[in-house]
Amino acid sequence: RLKPKNVKPSVRCIAESPTRASPQANMLTFTLSALALSTGARPVARRGAVRGSVVMNAPMVRQTGKNSMDMAALSNYMNLPMPADTLQAEYVFIDGSNKARSKCRTLSNKQAASIESLPNWTYDGSSTGQAPGKDSEVIMKPVAMYLDPFRPNGKNILVLCDTYDGLGNALPTNPRAAAAKLFEEHAEQVPWFGIEQEYTLFNLDMSTPLGWPNNGYPLPQGPYYCGAGADRMFGRAISDAHYAACRYAGLTISGTNAEVMPGQWEYQVGPCVGIAGADQLWMSRYILDRVAEDFNVYVTL
């Protein structure tokens, strides 16, 4: 496994009053202060120091914007009354690395009345590994929609989209187009699908699964599968939140359980008829990424 990245060393810098220092000392002070600032240190007054001197403390703990975000404050805005004649639609698409991404737009109730009435949209394919910069526009065509569990007012929706170039050709990352055609050609058949999706939850170092010691290994396989207890279950809140979000969205999620390794879980989608099985699997993956984002956890799929 990858070793955690080294923590940046702390920087201690005493900056003497420039009125008492030589030009060389002032240059040294400037250099050390710049180094301290680049590592995230902050200046504080030092007791007993000469006037104009500061001490650079050890770097403050760096938090990502998401980690330091107050979700309770966010709820103040998410609970605002919204216009009755519009809604928010999160268009979800698969990028060049086989991950789900999304962008949001406002639609009228009439536009969102059905899949057929949903408008196409576009995004910059050069930023997703799907198009060159000189011709980067990718067209999203809605193929399925579900209720949005992240804006749960009963109207906002998640929209799964196929992706096409400007000439109308399905992108290489859009095998769904060919699959949909195949299902349409055999519409008299009614195939059922049930799909199992396993995943592992990691700390944000992206190398330490939940429940694993840093630079070490957990106890051997045995107590974790379908287990219960704080000494063996890691990430149940994410599994439960994902399950609830999928049910609210209208996905046919049929079960979930902990797997054989700490931090490893699985869930099942189906039974679904035809291509709906694949559509729901992809949307369930997107929802899992969003749930893990809220818990500040990295998930592998």
Side-chain angles (χ1 to χ4, degrees), residues 181-191:
K181 183 178 180 180
L182 190 62
F183 278 111
E184 290 172 1
E185 291 173 352
H186 300 277
E188 74 283 358
Q189 300 185 27
V190 187

mmCIF file of all heavy atoms in Angstrom, residues 181-191:
data_model
loop_
_atom_site.group_PDB
_atom_site.id
_atom_site.type_symbol
_atom_site.label_atom_id
_atom_site.label_comp_id
_atom_site.label_asym_id
_atom_site.label_seq_id
_atom_site.Cartn_x
_atom_site.Cartn_y
_atom_site.Cartn_z
ATOM 1 N N LYS A 181 -29.990 0.144 -28.368
ATOM 2 C CA LYS A 181 -30.444 -0.288 -29.696
ATOM 3 C C LYS A 181 -30.688 -1.788 -29.732
ATOM 4 O O LYS A 181 -31.673 -2.263 -30.316
ATOM 5 C CB LYS A 181 -29.400 0.106 -30.742
ATOM 6 C CG LYS A 181 -29.804 -0.223 -32.165
ATOM 7 C CD LYS A 181 -28.750 0.243 -33.162
ATOM 8 C CE LYS A 181 -29.163 -0.089 -34.586
ATOM 9 N NZ LYS A 181 -28.144 0.346 -35.584
ATOM 10 N N LEU A 182 -29.816 -2.533 -29.090
ATOM 11 C CA LEU A 182 -29.962 -3.990 -29.046
ATOM 12 C C LEU A 182 -31.224 -4.397 -28.292
ATOM 13 O O LEU A 182 -31.973 -5.287 -28.731
ATOM 14 C CB LEU A 182 -28.730 -4.610 -28.391
ATOM 15 C CG LEU A 182 -28.597 -6.132 -28.466
ATOM 16 C CD1 LEU A 182 -28.505 -6.603 -29.919
ATOM 17 C CD2 LEU A 182 -27.385 -6.602 -27.678
ATOM 18 N N PHE A 183 -31.486 -3.740 -27.178
ATOM 19 C CA PHE A 183 -32.710 -4.041 -26.432
ATOM 20 C C PHE A 183 -33.945 -3.696 -27.250
ATOM 21 O O PHE A 183 -34.954 -4.431 -27.218
ATOM 22 C CB PHE A 183 -32.721 -3.264 -25.107
ATOM 23 C CG PHE A 183 -31.921 -3.913 -24.016
ATOM 24 C CD1 PHE A 183 -30.747 -3.335 -23.558
ATOM 25 C CD2 PHE A 183 -32.343 -5.096 -23.424
ATOM 26 C CE1 PHE A 183 -29.997 -3.931 -22.550
ATOM 27 C CE2 PHE A 183 -31.612 -5.700 -22.421
ATOM 28 C CZ PHE A 183 -30.429 -5.114 -21.977
ATOM 29 N N GLU A 184 -33.898 -2.588 -27.988
ATOM 30 C CA GLU A 184 -35.048 -2.187 -28.801
ATOM 31 C C GLU A 184 -35.302 -3.202 -29.911
ATOM 32 O O GLU A 184 -36.459 -3.474 -30.258
ATOM 33 C CB GLU A 184 -34.798 -0.803 -29.406
ATOM 34 C CG GLU A 184 -34.830 0.319 -28.378
ATOM 35 C CD GLU A 184 -34.381 1.636 -28.969
ATOM 36 O OE1 GLU A 184 -34.068 1.666 -30.192
ATOM 37 O OE2 GLU A 184 -34.321 2.633 -28.222
ATOM 38 N N GLU A 185 -34.241 -3.770 -30.472
ATOM 39 C CA GLU A 185 -34.393 -4.751 -31.549
ATOM 40 C C GLU A 185 -34.988 -6.065 -31.048
ATOM 41 O O GLU A 185 -35.475 -6.870 -31.856
ATOM 42 C CB GLU A 185 -33.032 -5.008 -32.204
ATOM 43 C CG GLU A 185 -32.505 -3.822 -32.997
ATOM 44 C CD GLU A 185 -31.085 -4.036 -33.482
ATOM 45 O OE1 GLU A 185 -30.467 -5.057 -33.055
ATOM 46 O OE2 GLU A 185 -30.584 -3.217 -34.263
ATOM 47 N N HIS A 186 -34.935 -6.295 -29.742
ATOM 48 C CA HIS A 186 -35.482 -7.533 -29.154
ATOM 49 C C HIS A 186 -36.489 -7.177 -28.066
ATOM 50 O O HIS A 186 -36.493 -7.746 -26.980
ATOM 51 C CB HIS A 186 -34.351 -8.387 -28.581
ATOM 52 C CG HIS A 186 -33.333 -8.797 -29.613
ATOM 53 N ND1 HIS A 186 -33.508 -9.888 -30.434
ATOM 54 C CD2 HIS A 186 -32.143 -8.243 -29.973
ATOM 55 C CE1 HIS A 186 -32.466 -10.003 -31.248
ATOM 56 N NE2 HIS A 186 -31.627 -9.025 -30.992
ATOM 57 N N ALA A 187 -37.348 -6.219 -28.401
ATOM 58 C CA ALA A 187 -38.318 -5.708 -27.428
ATOM 59 C C ALA A 187 -39.293 -6.783 -26.952
ATOM 60 O O ALA A 187 -39.900 -6.649 -25.883
ATOM 61 C CB ALA A 187 -39.084 -4.539 -28.027
ATOM 62 N N GLU A 188 -39.443 -7.845 -27.735
ATOM 63 C CA GLU A 188 -40.381 -8.908 -27.324
ATOM 64 C C GLU A 188 -39.845 -9.721 -26.156
ATOM 65 O O GLU A 188 -40.607 -10.429 -25.474
ATOM 66 C CB GLU A 188 -40.679 -9.832 -28.517
ATOM 67 C CG GLU A 188 -39.557 -10.791 -28.912
ATOM 68 C CD GLU A 188 -38.432 -10.120 -29.691
ATOM 69 O OE1 GLU A 188 -38.539 -8.908 -29.953
ATOM 70 O OE2 GLU A 188 -37.456 -10.823 -30.049
ATOM 71 N N GLN A 189 -38.550 -9.626 -25.913
ATOM 72 C CA GLN A 189 -37.961 -10.340 -24.790
ATOM 73 C C GLN A 189 -37.962 -9.442 -23.546
ATOM 74 O O GLN A 189 -37.886 -8.216 -23.652
ATOM 75 C CB GLN A 189 -36.533 -10.775 -25.127
ATOM 76 C CG GLN A 189 -36.445 -11.706 -26.324
ATOM 77 C CD GLN A 189 -35.041 -12.221 -26.560
ATOM 78 O OE1 GLN A 189 -34.253 -12.316 -25.632
ATOM 79 N NE2 GLN A 189 -34.733 -12.555 -27.806
ATOM 80 N N VAL A 190 -38.046 -10.076 -22.389
ATOM 81 C CA VAL A 190 -38.110 -9.310 -21.138
ATOM 82 C C VAL A 190 -37.028 -9.842 -20.188
ATOM 83 O O VAL A 190 -37.317 -10.583 -19.236
ATOM 84 C CB VAL A 190 -39.515 -9.416 -20.491
ATOM 85 C CG1 VAL A 190 -39.612 -8.477 -19.286
ATOM 86 C CG2 VAL A 190 -40.600 -9.091 -21.506
ATOM 87 N N PRO A 191 -35.771 -9.480 -20.416
ATOM 88 C CA PRO A 191 -34.695 -9.975 -19.552
ATOM 89 C C PRO A 191 -34.666 -9.229 -18.217
ATOM 90 O O PRO A 191 -34.838 -8.007 -18.162
ATOM 91 C CB PRO A 191 -33.436 -9.676 -20.376
ATOM 92 C CG PRO A 191 -33.806 -8.488 -21.201
ATOM 93 C CD PRO A 191 -35.261 -8.641 -21.511
#
